[in-house]
Amino acid sequence: MDARERLIVGLDVPTIGEAERLVSTLGDDILFYKIGYQLVFAGGLEFARDLAASGKKIFLDMKLLDIDNTVASGVENIAKMGMSMLTLHAYPKAMKAAVEAAKGSGLCLLGVTVLTSMDAEDLAEAGYQYDPQALVARRAAQARAAGMGGIVCSAEESAAVSEIVGPDMAIVTPGIRPTGAEKGDQKRVMTPKDALKAGSTHLVVARPIVKAPEPREAARAILNEMVAALWPANR
């Protein structure tokens, strides 16, 4: 697999104009983009359709969670948009409903385990009895049982998750920070090289590229680090 198939750039910008300029700047170096709440509520759904129609892969990061029928209805419509990946919170009933709705579409459904901005103290405050690692493992097993296409987790948990889900499910990890980059509001982070070696299959990178003085050079540096990790014999 081309490293460009594994790097997902988060279009975490406030306007469609800024997103368009970033996509233009990154050019053919980037094939895969994540669109989340910020851009969705600024007209991002139509933009996502347009990007997909142009040949880009789109990870729609909606983190769906609702009653089964509502989740299924949403997934059916998202599948028709030409999206490549879609997130939902890894609750068993929601995942089962989504899998049934996505059958035959090619849409890869990703179960969000524990947000990378949360640590053990945050989970305890929210009422969970598990630490992040235990909750990630539990939800990964439930996602596999439900027939999901992949998992979203911290790169710190990707090795343990890969043991649970096996080689056929995607392990998508946000919170990726090149060496020396600021963590921001992320609490469980890892470098691109270390994340891939730990078992991540796809890396989501936003601020280190989007906020870089030269976004294309920043993206190329990350791609080069990924190539060195994936195919060291070719370096």
Side-chain angles (χ1 to χ4, degrees), residues 7 178 192 215-227 235:
L7 175 61
R216 193 164 192 173
E217 293 306 312
R220 286 175 173 172
I222 292 171
L223 284 168
N224 287 337
E225 183 175 344
M226 293 171 67
V227 169
R235 299 296 289 172

Side-chain angles (χ1 to χ4, degrees), residues 207-219:
R207 276 168 282 188
I209 292 175
V210 172
K211 300 296 185 183
E214 298 291 340
R216 193 164 192 173
E217 293 306 312

Side-chain angles (χ1 to χ4, degrees), residues 64-80 86 88 93-103 107 109:
L64 301 181
L65 181 60
D66 212 307
I67 63 173
D68 299 357
N69 185 64
T70 300
V71 169
S73 297
V75 169
E76 287 174 0
N77 280 337
I78 290 168
K80 296 173 185 175
L86 169 70
L88 58 148
K93 289 189 69 180
M95 291 191 291
K96 291 174 185 175
V99 168
E100 185 64 26
K103 277 185 178 177
L107 176 64
L109 296 171

